[in-house]
Amino acid sequence: MEGLKVSKANLTVYIHPSKSNQVSQAVLRQLSSLLFTFSEIFDGVVLAYDVNSFDTCAKILSGVHPYFGVKLKVNLLLFSPKPNMLLEGKVVKVTQESIHVVVLGFSSAIISEKDIREEFVCKTKRGQEVYVSRSHKRHVIKVGTMIRFLVKSFDEEILHVYGSLVPDHTGSIYWLDKNLEVDSHSDRSEKKRRIVPERIMLEQDAVDGELSTLNIGQKSKKSKKQKHQEES
């Protein structure tokens, strides 16, 4: 899935003097406050962090409360979806007007009816609404289906994705991957069918070549015998 990246950052965390005897815990608490929020500095939603090192020499700041700053080197896992990227998520709701998806367990996404390609038609099966492909009856999108969709836009404030199922390479991940394997197998079979006749032709040419050589040899032998008889 696209939209994920790792960013290396040099940070300075400011700690209250009352936490001076628990610096590590205070630092982790500050970093945890960044989780699942959009950061303009890093241009993404912070999903996880890994502290590589932090400076033991803290700088005390002047003021009424003398906070001290601790310098860190951190690896941040960011969720930063951009237009035309491919995301994957689980369908949680299907209606005639839209498909609702959850991405990575926290970000909601919606795909409106106008952004669903005409190949899909909404039907009611066993009391539930599902989208079924007209071209491939087994290509079904329902509640619980993992789908791959295209990003149209991303609302950074509410962490909401607006998606699209217009491209042909979007839809049910299970069906897309299985269909891709079938297509790959068909391509390999087609290549084999093309190669086999060529090999047969080459082998036939080789056999014909041997026969031609043999005939030439026989003719040359006959010509030598005839020549010997003529001389005698």
mmCIF file of all heavy atoms in Angstrom, residues 141-157:
data_model
loop_
_atom_site.group_PDB
_atom_site.id
_atom_site.type_symbol
_atom_site.label_atom_id
_atom_site.label_comp_id
_atom_site.label_asym_id
_atom_site.label_seq_id
_atom_site.Cartn_x
_atom_site.Cartn_y
_atom_site.Cartn_z
ATOM 1 N N ILE A 141 -18.024 -6.505 -3.809
ATOM 2 C CA ILE A 141 -17.595 -5.642 -2.703
ATOM 3 C C ILE A 141 -18.735 -5.566 -1.700
ATOM 4 O O ILE A 141 -19.832 -5.118 -2.027
ATOM 5 C CB ILE A 141 -17.230 -4.232 -3.207
ATOM 6 C CG1 ILE A 141 -16.037 -4.305 -4.171
ATOM 7 C CG2 ILE A 141 -16.902 -3.312 -2.037
ATOM 8 C CD1 ILE A 141 -15.685 -2.969 -4.802
ATOM 9 N N LYS A 142 -18.463 -6.028 -0.483
ATOM 10 C CA LYS A 142 -19.474 -6.030 0.573
ATOM 11 C C LYS A 142 -18.802 -5.694 1.898
ATOM 12 O O LYS A 142 -17.576 -5.498 1.960
ATOM 13 C CB LYS A 142 -20.154 -7.392 0.643
ATOM 14 C CG LYS A 142 -19.201 -8.544 0.914
ATOM 15 C CD LYS A 142 -19.930 -9.879 0.893
ATOM 16 C CE LYS A 142 -18.954 -11.025 1.160
ATOM 17 N NZ LYS A 142 -19.636 -12.341 1.147
ATOM 18 N N VAL A 143 -19.597 -5.632 2.959
ATOM 19 C CA VAL A 143 -19.040 -5.354 4.282
ATOM 20 C C VAL A 143 -18.041 -6.453 4.653
ATOM 21 O O VAL A 143 -18.342 -7.641 4.562
ATOM 22 C CB VAL A 143 -20.162 -5.272 5.342
ATOM 23 C CG1 VAL A 143 -19.566 -5.156 6.744
ATOM 24 C CG2 VAL A 143 -21.068 -4.086 5.061
ATOM 25 N N GLY A 144 -16.845 -6.037 5.048
ATOM 26 C CA GLY A 144 -15.792 -6.987 5.389
ATOM 27 C C GLY A 144 -14.769 -7.189 4.287
ATOM 28 O O GLY A 144 -13.692 -7.736 4.532
ATOM 29 N N THR A 145 -15.089 -6.743 3.063
ATOM 30 C CA THR A 145 -14.160 -6.902 1.939
ATOM 31 C C THR A 145 -12.993 -5.926 2.060
ATOM 32 O O THR A 145 -13.185 -4.753 2.381
ATOM 33 C CB THR A 145 -14.885 -6.654 0.598
ATOM 34 O OG1 THR A 145 -15.965 -7.565 0.469
ATOM 35 C CG2 THR A 145 -13.930 -6.837 -0.577
ATOM 36 N N MET A 146 -11.790 -6.413 1.815
ATOM 37 C CA MET A 146 -10.614 -5.543 1.737
ATOM 38 C C MET A 146 -10.514 -5.042 0.298
ATOM 39 O O MET A 146 -10.467 -5.841 -0.640
ATOM 40 C CB MET A 146 -9.346 -6.300 2.121
ATOM 41 C CG MET A 146 -9.279 -6.715 3.579
ATOM 42 S SD MET A 146 -9.191 -5.304 4.709
ATOM 43 C CE MET A 146 -7.610 -4.580 4.243
ATOM 44 N N ILE A 147 -10.493 -3.718 0.141
ATOM 45 C CA ILE A 147 -10.463 -3.150 -1.207
ATOM 46 C C ILE A 147 -9.234 -2.268 -1.402
ATOM 47 O O ILE A 147 -8.629 -1.787 -0.447
ATOM 48 C CB ILE A 147 -11.734 -2.332 -1.518
ATOM 49 C CG1 ILE A 147 -11.809 -1.080 -0.632
ATOM 50 C CG2 ILE A 147 -12.974 -3.185 -1.377
ATOM 51 C CD1 ILE A 147 -12.904 -0.113 -1.045
ATOM 52 N N ARG A 148 -8.886 -2.104 -2.658
ATOM 53 C CA ARG A 148 -7.814 -1.186 -3.063
ATOM 54 C C ARG A 148 -8.468 -0.057 -3.849
ATOM 55 O O ARG A 148 -9.199 -0.307 -4.806
ATOM 56 C CB ARG A 148 -6.788 -1.930 -3.912
ATOM 57 C CG ARG A 148 -5.570 -1.104 -4.303
ATOM 58 C CD ARG A 148 -4.575 -1.956 -5.083
ATOM 59 N NE ARG A 148 -4.022 -3.013 -4.240
ATOM 60 C CZ ARG A 148 -4.035 -4.301 -4.573
ATOM 61 N NH1 ARG A 148 -4.568 -4.692 -5.717
ATOM 62 N NH2 ARG A 148 -3.515 -5.211 -3.758
ATOM 63 N N PHE A 149 -8.221 1.185 -3.431
ATOM 64 C CA PHE A 149 -8.871 2.315 -4.090
ATOM 65 C C PHE A 149 -7.888 3.464 -4.279
ATOM 66 O O PHE A 149 -6.817 3.503 -3.665
ATOM 67 C CB PHE A 149 -10.094 2.786 -3.290
ATOM 68 C CG PHE A 149 -9.773 3.299 -1.907
ATOM 69 C CD1 PHE A 149 -9.600 4.657 -1.675
ATOM 70 C CD2 PHE A 149 -9.649 2.427 -0.837
ATOM 71 C CE1 PHE A 149 -9.301 5.131 -0.402
ATOM 72 C CE2 PHE A 149 -9.356 2.889 0.440
ATOM 73 C CZ PHE A 149 -9.178 4.250 0.655
ATOM 74 N N LEU A 150 -8.281 4.399 -5.129
ATOM 75 C CA LEU A 150 -7.434 5.539 -5.470
ATOM 76 C C LEU A 150 -7.797 6.736 -4.592
ATOM 77 O O LEU A 150 -8.971 6.972 -4.309
ATOM 78 C CB LEU A 150 -7.624 5.899 -6.943
ATOM 79 C CG LEU A 150 -6.530 6.739 -7.608
ATOM 80 C CD1 LEU A 150 -5.275 5.904 -7.804
ATOM 81 C CD2 LEU A 150 -7.015 7.262 -8.952
ATOM 82 N N VAL A 151 -6.789 7.484 -4.167
ATOM 83 C CA VAL A 151 -7.021 8.671 -3.341
ATOM 84 C C VAL A 151 -7.376 9.862 -4.226
ATOM 85 O O VAL A 151 -6.681 10.155 -5.205
ATOM 86 C CB VAL A 151 -5.769 9.017 -2.506
ATOM 87 C CG1 VAL A 151 -5.998 10.304 -1.707
ATOM 88 C CG2 VAL A 151 -5.421 7.874 -1.571
ATOM 89 N N LYS A 152 -8.476 10.533 -3.888
ATOM 90 C CA LYS A 152 -8.835 11.781 -4.559
ATOM 91 C C LYS A 152 -8.350 12.974 -3.745
ATOM 92 O O LYS A 152 -7.775 13.911 -4.287
ATOM 93 C CB LYS A 152 -10.349 11.866 -4.757
ATOM 94 C CG LYS A 152 -10.910 10.893 -5.781
ATOM 95 C CD LYS A 152 -12.393 11.139 -6.010
ATOM 96 C CE LYS A 152 -12.638 12.515 -6.614
ATOM 97 N NZ LYS A 152 -14.091 12.758 -6.840
ATOM 98 N N SER A 153 -8.595 12.920 -2.429
ATOM 99 C CA SER A 153 -8.144 13.991 -1.541
ATOM 100 C C SER A 153 -8.102 13.474 -0.111
ATOM 101 O O SER A 153 -8.635 12.399 0.193
ATOM 102 C CB SER A 153 -9.067 15.214 -1.642
ATOM 103 O OG SER A 153 -10.385 14.870 -1.233
ATOM 104 N N PHE A 154 -7.464 14.260 0.773
ATOM 105 C CA PHE A 154 -7.309 13.868 2.172
ATOM 106 C C PHE A 154 -7.559 15.083 3.060
ATOM 107 O O PHE A 154 -6.911 16.120 2.899
ATOM 108 C CB PHE A 154 -5.904 13.321 2.410
ATOM 109 C CG PHE A 154 -5.622 12.918 3.833
ATOM 110 C CD1 PHE A 154 -6.426 11.995 4.474
ATOM 111 C CD2 PHE A 154 -4.547 13.467 4.525
ATOM 112 C CE1 PHE A 154 -6.170 11.615 5.789
ATOM 113 C CE2 PHE A 154 -4.280 13.094 5.829
ATOM 114 C CZ PHE A 154 -5.095 12.166 6.464
ATOM 115 N N ASP A 155 -8.525 14.954 3.969
ATOM 116 C CA ASP A 155 -8.831 16.015 4.924
ATOM 117 C C ASP A 155 -7.924 15.840 6.137
ATOM 118 O O ASP A 155 -8.087 14.901 6.920
ATOM 119 C CB ASP A 155 -10.303 15.946 5.343
ATOM 120 C CG ASP A 155 -10.749 17.180 6.114
ATOM 121 O OD1 ASP A 155 -9.953 17.674 6.944
ATOM 122 O OD2 ASP A 155 -11.877 17.651 5.893
ATOM 123 N N GLU A 156 -6.965 16.742 6.297
ATOM 124 C CA GLU A 156 -5.957 16.607 7.343
ATOM 125 C C GLU A 156 -6.518 16.826 8.743
ATOM 126 O O GLU A 156 -5.979 16.292 9.718
ATOM 127 C CB GLU A 156 -4.814 17.595 7.075
ATOM 128 C CG GLU A 156 -4.129 17.360 5.727
ATOM 129 C CD GLU A 156 -3.208 18.496 5.345
ATOM 130 O OE1 GLU A 156 -3.194 19.507 6.086
ATOM 131 O OE2 GLU A 156 -2.508 18.385 4.329
ATOM 132 N N GLU A 157 -7.583 17.595 8.860
ATOM 133 C CA GLU A 157 -8.134 17.899 10.185
ATOM 134 C C GLU A 157 -8.874 16.712 10.782
ATOM 135 O O GLU A 157 -8.704 16.383 11.961
ATOM 136 C CB GLU A 157 -9.057 19.118 10.101
ATOM 137 C CG GLU A 157 -8.329 20.416 9.772
ATOM 138 C CD GLU A 157 -9.259 21.608 9.806
ATOM 139 O OE1 GLU A 157 -10.454 21.416 10.121
ATOM 140 O OE2 GLU A 157 -8.798 22.732 9.528
#
